[in-house]
Amino acid sequence: MQNIEEILIKYVEARLQLSEVIIEKAKGDWSKLSILIENDEKAYKSFDTMLNSLNEFREATSVGKFFTYPKEFKKIYELLEKITLKPDPEFSVGFSLGEARDMIADLMSDGEEDRRAKALDQLAQLPNYSPDDWVRRKYLIQGIYLSQTNKVPPYLIPRIKEAYFSFIYGNFLASIALARAILEMALKDRFPVLKVKDLSFYDILNEKWFQIKGLKDDDEMQKMAEFIRTAGNQIMHNPQDKVIRIYNEFATTSVLRNLRSLIEFLYQ
């Protein structure tokens, strides 16, 4: 679990330094930022540090990651979260990989197939090949924030990561099914009283939940948990009634955001 405190501090310090330069050199006129970056070394270094900090933050808090920070940094975290939630729309991974493949092929003067071009061709033939979507989904949902002490049991962490990685690669049904299983395991880990033979997941969420201290006073979390259970049941148990919704990327995003909130709620 990574502590992102240094990343948050580095961004704020660079932002303050840049503000000082703008006040000193441009009388506080932020519209002259681009001119200052091109002509003032301190402005350039401060701005560059800000961009690097944002990239570090984006990677450290991307989906499937566990991270922490001091509680007093919450507002800074929320600010950077808004800035970094979406990937760069002007850069295409798929297009760049295609260009790289064509460049490699053009370098072969004797017509012999280059193993690097062949490797890229084989990559493009994989199921669900969509590198731009993979990258976009990686940053579509933030990672999981935990307190300074990680209380999530070791056996649960790889399962949580697998649910998010399945989402990244477009395996939405697998992701939802895993989310349901993870939530049930997490609840039984946190509240051993739920480890009762023949106690259904439905009864846990719609009966026992309202009897347990630490759960019964949070209706919002119960609704999130029931949403995950219902979604998972639609996929795993092949009900006789019609499927109540299509489990595409949008629906899976909702399931995983709920799972994130519930894991943070259960393990703070």
Side-chain angles (χ1 to χ4, degrees):
M1 181 174 64
Q2 181 176 356
N3 189 330
I4 62 170
E5 176 180 358
E6 290 185 2
I7 298 174
L8 300 178
I9 291 174
K10 185 162 57 173
Y11 176 86
V12 172
E13 287 179 341
R15 174 64 173 73
L16 290 173
Q17 289 172 1
L18 184 59
S19 180
E20 289 175 0
V21 175
I22 290 177
I23 291 173
E24 178 186 349
K25 301 290 180 66
K27 297 182 179 179
D29 186 355
W30 281 85
S31 67
K32 297 180 180 178
L33 175 61
S34 59
I35 298 173
L36 283 173
I37 291 172
E38 292 178 2
N39 297 281
D40 186 276
E41 184 178 0
K42 187 176 180 181
Y44 171 79
K45 287 183 177 180
S46 299
F47 188 72
D48 188 57
T49 300
M50 286 175 60
L51 292 181
N52 290 335
S53 299
L54 288 175
N55 287 330
E56 288 181 47
F57 175 88
R58 194 162 176 251
E59 289 300 321
T61 61
S62 60
V63 65
K65 301 285 183 66
F66 290 81
F67 62 91
T68 188
Y69 56 82
K71 289 184 178 180
E72 58 267 26
F73 284 32
K74 190 174 191 305
K75 289 191 179 296
I76 303 174
Y77 165 78
E78 291 174 346
L79 170 66
L80 298 196
E81 182 184 28
K82 291 178 182 178
I83 297 174
T84 60
L85 198 55
K86 295 181 180 180
D88 182 358
E90 297 180 0
F91 176 71
S92 169
V93 179
F95 181 78
S96 298
L97 286 173
E99 277 193 324
R101 189 253 178 255
D102 293 341
M103 180 186 70
I104 292 169
D106 290 341
L107 290 174
M108 301 301 295
S109 57
D110 56 4
E112 181 181 350
E113 186 177 25
D114 188 281
R115 58 180 173 79
R116 294 167 296 180
K118 184 177 180 180
L120 288 170
D121 286 339
Q122 290 180 338
L123 177 65
Q125 292 170 16
L126 289 174
N128 287 355
Y129 176 79
S130 184
D132 286 291
D133 284 328
W134 298 343
V135 173
R136 178 177 55 79
R137 291 188 198 114
K138 179 181 178 182
Y139 305 110
L140 190 59
I141 305 170
Q142 291 294 99
I144 295 174
Y145 165 76
L146 296 173
S147 59
Q148 298 290 328
T149 303
N150 182 8
K151 300 176 183 177
V152 179
Y155 68 82
L156 207 55
I157 292 175
R159 289 168 170 80
I160 294 171
K161 289 183 176 181
E162 188 72 17
Y164 284 111
F165 296 162
S166 294
F167 168 73
I168 288 174
Y169 295 113
N171 300 317
F172 302 132
L173 301 187
S175 181
I176 292 172
L178 265 172
R180 182 201 181 282
I182 288 163
L183 178 58
E184 186 171 2
M185 284 190 288
L187 283 166
K188 290 180 177 179
D189 170 65
R190 290 289 290 114
F191 304 98
V193 69
L194 297 175
K195 295 179 181 179
V196 178
K197 187 178 180 181
D198 298 330
L199 180 63
S200 71
F201 197 23
Y202 175 88
D203 288 337
I204 288 175
L205 296 184
N206 293 280
E207 181 180 338
K208 295 295 184 182
W209 182 288
F210 301 102
Q211 300 172 8
I212 297 175
K213 183 179 180 181
L215 292 179
K216 62 182 180 181
D217 295 326
D218 205 310
D219 291 342
E220 182 180 359
M221 289 296 165
Q222 189 275 338
K223 290 176 183 177
M224 288 184 183
E226 178 60 15
F227 178 79
I228 293 175
R229 186 196 70 83
T230 302
N233 281 5
Q234 284 286 322
I235 290 165
M236 296 167 63
H237 298 319
N238 191 25
Q240 295 300 316
D241 57 326
K242 64 181 180 179
V243 176
I244 59 176
R245 66 185 299 163
I246 297 173
Y247 288 102
N248 53 16
E249 177 184 309
F250 178 78
T252 311
T253 300
S254 298
V255 168
L256 294 182
R257 283 179 175 162
N258 283 2
L259 180 64
R260 172 199 175 199
S261 297
L262 283 157
I263 294 297
E264 291 178 345
F265 166 70
L266 291 172
Y267 289 102
Q268 292 307 320

